[in-house]
Amino acid sequence: MEEDRIECVTTSSSERLYEADVNYPQNHNHNLNHNHNLNHNHNHNQASKSRRKVASPLISSANTVVEIFECPVCANAMYPPIHQCHNGHTLCSECKTRVHNRCPTCRQELGEIRCLALEKVAESLELPCKYSSFGCLEISPYYSKLKHEALCNFRPFSCPYAGYECSVVGDIPYLVSHLKDDHKVDMHTGCTFNHRYVKSNPLEVDNATWMLTVFHCFGQYFCLHFEAFQLGGAPVYMAFLRFMGDETDARRYTYSLEVGGCGRKLTWEGTPRSIRDSHRKVRDSHDGLVIHRKLALFFSGGDRKELKLRITGRIWKEQNLESAASISNLCS
């Protein structure tokens, strides 16, 4: 099967040719000055803090306390009811049924003994967020710590690369470097783009056919995905945008995509999804420009021998629309 080709033209670069090759990341060594104190590390905003944890007596002590409340079976934090065996070994209530009422440590029968002392201690605990090494200064009561961490603005992002399950996590500056250096993703500056997708055999679609380009505009980074996959037994082509940041910030932007040919065009306009949502989740929700094979062939001139799609797009900030609306109201 011949490889698909994609070309991208932005306002700041000439036309280029891309191939859908998968590049595996290489190991990186990251240095961090351990002589910095804790307060400096909390305020340190460089990408290196996203890969290394900052060692400090406070965090080390907190980690030791957390280990006491760690279930020996699932390794998650234990919450009431916390169970124990006759020898004092503890585990969470969910795992109690998994081990068939036998202590996973000493194999004694568990019975229905609650560890009330540990539950009481937990009520008095206040612990730092586990993302403290990423800059979070939040101190939470033990029983609300998980809720905070699930929504913490400092929690790292997963790599948005869709070629395979990349396990790299980090802050946005680090992920941008990671995409460029390890995945060899093409980087472009500008809020407009022009892609050309060419496929020699449009009747054959591989689920691994995908492209990714990163755009930098308005001081932010955006991931433009182009996919070819099977839907209902027929090939489907899809383009969508993801914002490299949280959902709240993503809502400040809007993007449009347009594809056409033979005097017809198909347009999509929407809000980019945050990379907090996985690539597969966005794709499977069809939240983007979806082009079915028959329409794609029509845009290509009706020739089934080769597929040629040209997709243009633009990203803009919602506040610009609000300003334009205010000016319009003043003029009317």
Side-chain angles (χ1 to χ4, degrees):
M1 174 182 171
E2 294 185 17
E3 291 184 329
D4 305 336
R5 306 192 303 279
I6 186 167
E7 297 174 352
C8 174
V9 178
T10 68
T11 54
S12 61
S13 64
S14 58
E15 193 167 1
R16 301 176 63 185
L17 180 69
Y18 305 112
E19 294 182 353
D21 292 333
V22 177
N23 296 281
Y24 290 86
Q26 301 174 354
N27 293 328
H28 289 269
N29 293 321
H30 307 288
N31 297 321
L32 183 66
N33 187 347
H34 289 280
N35 294 326
H36 290 183
N37 57 34
L38 179 62
N39 290 332
H40 177 77
N41 282 319
H42 279 159
N43 296 320
H44 187 41
N45 196 32
Q46 296 180 356
S48 59
K49 74 179 180 183
S50 66
R51 284 100 69 195
R52 295 287 299 272
K53 289 189 175 181
V54 180
S56 73
L58 174 62
I59 296 176
S60 298
S61 300
N63 288 338
T64 302
V65 173
V66 171
E67 288 175 2
I68 297 174
F69 288 89
E70 188 178 275
C71 174
V73 179
C74 65
N76 294 326
M78 295 185 292
Y79 292 91
I82 299 175
H83 296 273
Q84 71 173 40
C85 71
H86 293 281
N87 293 324
H89 304 127
T90 57
L91 79 164
C92 71
S93 57
E94 291 186 3
C95 290
K96 183 175 182 292
T97 57
R98 296 182 189 176
V99 297
H100 306 291
N101 205 37
R102 289 283 178 183
C103 175
T105 304
C106 66
R107 308 306 299 168
Q108 295 294 316
E109 186 174 346
L110 286 171
E112 297 297 331
I113 306 174
R114 290 269 296 276
C115 187
L116 299 179
L118 201 58
E119 293 178 8
K120 193 69 176 177
V121 170
E123 291 179 0
S124 63
L125 285 179
E126 289 189 343
L127 299 173
C129 173
K130 71 176 180 179
Y131 302 120
S132 57
S133 59
F134 290 82
C136 183
L137 301 177
E138 186 75 18
I139 303 294
S140 304
Y142 180 82
Y143 290 138
S144 61
K145 182 173 179 285
L146 283 182
K147 182 178 180 180
H148 160 74
E149 290 173 348
L151 302 173
C152 179
N153 291 330
F154 290 90
R155 68 191 191 279
F157 295 90
S158 298
C159 173
Y161 192 77
Y164 62 100
E165 295 298 325
C166 181
S167 60
V168 171
V169 297
D171 59 14
I172 299 304
Y174 172 60
L175 288 184
V176 169
S177 298
H178 165 68
L179 289 170
K180 180 180 178 181
D181 298 335
D182 297 334
H183 296 302
K184 310 303 179 185
V185 169
D186 290 280
M187 304 284 176
H188 296 274
T189 300
C191 59
T192 61
F193 44 87
N194 188 344
H195 276 257
R196 189 163 68 93
Y197 177 78
V198 180
K199 187 173 180 61
S200 59
N201 184 4
L203 299 179
E204 185 177 348
V205 174
D206 188 339
N207 284 325
T209 302
W210 53 266
M211 289 88 182
L212 173 64
T213 306
V214 173
F215 289 89
H216 182 242
C217 58
F218 305 111
Q220 305 289 346
Y221 290 92
F222 300 83
C223 294
L224 177 65
H225 297 266
F226 191 89
E227 303 282 329
F229 58 96
Q230 294 283 353
L231 181 64
V236 167
Y237 307 95
M238 181 178 177
F240 58 92
L241 199 73
R242 286 202 293 166
F243 174 75
M244 295 189 69
D246 285 309
E247 182 180 354
T248 302
D249 294 325
R251 294 196 196 105
R252 300 175 183 173
Y253 301 90
T254 302
Y255 75 101
S256 63
L257 297 172
E258 183 178 296
V259 62
C262 299
R264 307 289 190 275
K265 68 179 179 180
L266 183 65
T267 303
W268 165 268
E269 184 175 306
T271 302
R273 296 280 285 270
S274 165
I275 59 172
R276 295 286 188 201
D277 290 335
S278 70
H279 154 267
R280 183 173 292 275
K281 180 179 179 180
V282 180
R283 191 198 75 177
D284 292 348
S285 68
H286 300 169
D287 191 4
L289 178 67
V290 180
I291 314 161
H292 293 271
R293 182 178 62 183
K294 288 184 178 180
L295 187 57
L297 290 172
F298 178 79
F299 288 151
S300 302
D303 186 358
R304 293 178 175 270
K305 295 182 179 179
E306 189 173 44
L307 188 72
K308 295 180 180 179
L309 294 176
R310 184 170 292 279
I311 299 177
T312 60
R314 185 169 70 93
I315 307 168
W316 65 89
K317 218 173 180 181
E318 281 297 335
Q319 67 181 25
N320 293 344
L321 294 179
E322 295 172 1
S323 299
S326 299
I327 295 174
S328 178
N329 291 333
L330 290 175
C331 295
S332 59

